Amino acid sequence: MEKETTWQRWVKGMGKMKEEVKEHFSQLWSKKETGEKDWEELEELLIQADMGPALSLEIVEEFREFKKSRGGDDWQEWLYQKLFSLLEGNDPSLFASAKEGELKAIILSGVNGVGKTTAAGKLAYLFRNKGEKVSLIAADTFRAAAMEQLEVWAQRAKCRYFRGTEGADPGAVVFDGISSARHQGDTLVIIDTAGRSHVNKNLLAELEKVVRVTKKLILPSNLESILVIDALAGQNAFLQAQSLFPVADLSGIILTKWDSQAKGGIVFRIGKEFHLPVKYLGVGEGIEDLVPFDAEEFVKTIVY
Ligand SMILES: Nc1nc2c(ncn2[C@@H]2O[C@H](COP(=O)(O)OP(=O)(O)OP(=O)(O)O)[C@@H](O)[C@H]2O)c(=O)[nH]1
Ligand SMILES: [Mg+2]
């Protein structure tokens, strides 16, 4: 059997939800008499698609207005414009304005188990294939197993790897790792951090220090601070991610586990509530399973 293309998997990740949403819009559009119940059903469906309550209500209300005024005769065009506006300016590229010849850095943060270490490995592979000289830095000094896991990814991606001792201060490890990378003539460091939860103040303080240390050594234009979010985590993902905002000075998002029946709406909710670009989607556990997020293509796939 031919291997599924990343695109196919990407689309499949949105599951049945996409078809249901489309069908609902189409039915409501052609229905002569619509009642409160019809609109409530649509709202419920959008919430189930992970758009979140506020955005779901907003879309329903605006669509109701549009239908009433018959401001156009094409609901798909309307929906396309509405959804695309939520992702306006979503640029998936990293280091769009990086200074050539200066070391670049990516910091990956996020709550436990979302896929940070996996994303670090995939990014190392991706950038190495683009000709960058990459170092993976294990700033998750919390568990020896975590550092070893990253080392395995470094071997797969065929890049350099830097770690400190177990329990070492992650800020100090990052300082040493970046200094070493610079000394070796690397062009990119990717920093994997420990999973943390909003209730653990120590880990949050550690992350803040990792970011602070990195900023001292890397130009702002050459730094990407990426929040990794599990696309399946729904409402929880939002609550947990919010706690990392003040400490990580984020520039973008990677959504992982897209292949495991993610519902798609989370992308719009992120656009609406976080105002951060989605950079990549994780579409599997393999090293190549990372696709750049193309907002236009994505909205087209949902609407048409
Ligand atoms: N299906 C699927 N699984 C993924 C994806 N990304 C990561 N995983 C899996 O999710 C699990 C956790 O991944 P890790 O990369 O260890 O997550 P982490 O955020 O580093 O975890 P901690 O360091 O413990 O906080 C592993 O079993 C990965 O294989 C993805 O895009 N798709
Ligand atoms: Mg990890």
Side-chain angles (χ1 to χ4, degrees), residues 220-268:
S221 60
N222 290 35
L223 173 62
E224 295 278 1
S225 182
I226 303 287
L227 178 64
V228 182
I229 296 181
D230 176 343
L232 304 175
Q235 175 74 10
N236 244 344
F238 278 81
L239 295 177
Q240 296 177 326
Q242 259 150 3
S243 65
L244 297 181
F245 266 75
V247 293
D249 198 6
L250 299 164
S251 60
I253 284 174
I254 291 180
L255 272 175
T256 59
K257 309 189 190 183
W258 193 258
D259 52 306
S260 335
Q261 301 290 303
K263 292 169 186 162
I266 190 169
V267 168
F268 302 107

Side-chain angles (χ1 to χ4, degrees), residues 1-290:
M1 208 175 78
E2 212 174 303
K3 197 172 180 284
E4 236 179 354
T5 64
T6 12
W7 168 254
Q8 283 166 329
R9 250 181 301 164
W10 198 65
V11 173
K12 205 162 101 189
M14 284 188 286
K16 292 203 312 285
M17 192 52 72
K18 177 183 78 126
E19 290 310 319
E20 271 182 55
V21 167
K22 258 161 68 169
E23 209 176 291
H24 240 78
F25 271 99
S26 167
Q27 275 173 7
L28 275 178
W29 182 247
S30 47
K31 210 167 171 178
K32 288 238 151 46
E33 301 284 327
T34 44
E36 264 334 292
K37 198 161 165 295
D38 290 312
W39 298 108
E40 278 165 20
E41 270 172 25
L42 179 64
E43 189 182 334
E44 187 51 39
L45 189 69
L46 295 176
I47 291 172
Q48 276 172 30
D50 278 348
M51 294 228 181
L55 179 56
S56 299
L57 182 62
E58 177 183 314
I59 292 176
V60 167
E61 284 183 341
E62 288 180 17
F63 186 56
R64 265 182 99 152
E65 270 311 302
F66 178 68
K67 179 171 157 75
K68 210 162 85 192
S69 70
R70 288 276 159 180
D73 53 11
D74 187 349
W75 68 267
Q76 275 171 307
E77 176 60 22
W78 178 86
L79 188 59
Y80 179 86
Q81 295 298 345
K82 174 65 194 173
L83 294 181
F84 192 66
S85 74
L86 295 164
L87 305 179
E88 208 72 81
N90 196 110
D91 177 2
S93 59
L94 296 183
F95 306 116
S97 49
K99 196 155 177 262
E100 281 290 318
E102 295 283 344
L103 184 60
K104 298 184 281 297
I106 301 173
I107 301 172
L108 296 166
S109 58
V111 297
N112 293 310
V114 289
K116 296 173 296 296
T117 304
T118 307
K122 291 172 178 177
L123 285 170
Y125 177 77
L126 184 92
F127 278 96
R128 218 188 61 87
N129 282 342
K130 289 185 180 189
E132 302 278 357
K133 289 181 74 183
V134 182
S135 257
L136 276 170
I137 300 178
D140 183 351
T141 57
F142 207 52
R143 297 171 295 130
M147 295 188 275
E148 280 152 24
Q149 190 193 350
L150 190 70
E151 189 170 12
V152 172
W153 278 108
Q155 284 159 2
R156 287 185 195 143
K158 298 192 172 57
C159 69
R160 283 194 343 110
Y161 165 74
F162 188 91
R163 65 168 278 185
T165 49
E166 190 178 349
D169 170 28
V173 172
V174 165
F175 184 90
D176 291 343
I178 292 178
S179 310
S180 158
R182 188 165 270 141
H183 187 69
Q184 301 273 344
D186 286 343
T187 57
L188 170 66
V189 296
I190 299 174
I191 301 163
D192 182 32
T193 68
R196 54 207 75 225
S197 75
H198 47 304
V199 289
N200 195 323
K201 293 265 184 306
N202 279 344
L203 283 174
L204 283 177
E206 262 181 27
L207 176 62
E208 189 167 31
K209 187 169 174 194
V210 163
V211 174
R212 201 168 55 231
V213 167
T214 309
K215 279 180 167 172
K216 278 198 185 134
L217 301 173
I218 303 284
L219 293 171
S221 60
N222 290 35
L223 173 62
E224 295 278 1
S225 182
I226 303 287
L227 178 64
V228 182
I229 296 181
D230 176 343
L232 304 175
Q235 175 74 10
N236 244 344
F238 278 81
L239 295 177
Q240 296 177 326
Q242 259 150 3
S243 65
L244 297 181
F245 266 75
V247 293
D249 198 6
L250 299 164
S251 60
I253 284 174
I254 291 180
L255 272 175
T256 59
K257 309 189 190 183
W258 193 258
D259 52 306
S260 335
Q261 301 290 303
K263 292 169 186 162
I266 190 169
V267 168
F268 302 107
R269 194 168 172 199
I270 286 170
K272 174 83 185 167
E273 293 181 29
F274 291 173
H275 303 288
L276 279 175
V278 175
K279 301 285 189 182
Y280 289 96
L281 301 178
V283 293
E285 295 179 277
I287 203 162
E288 292 183 347
D289 295 329
L290 191 71

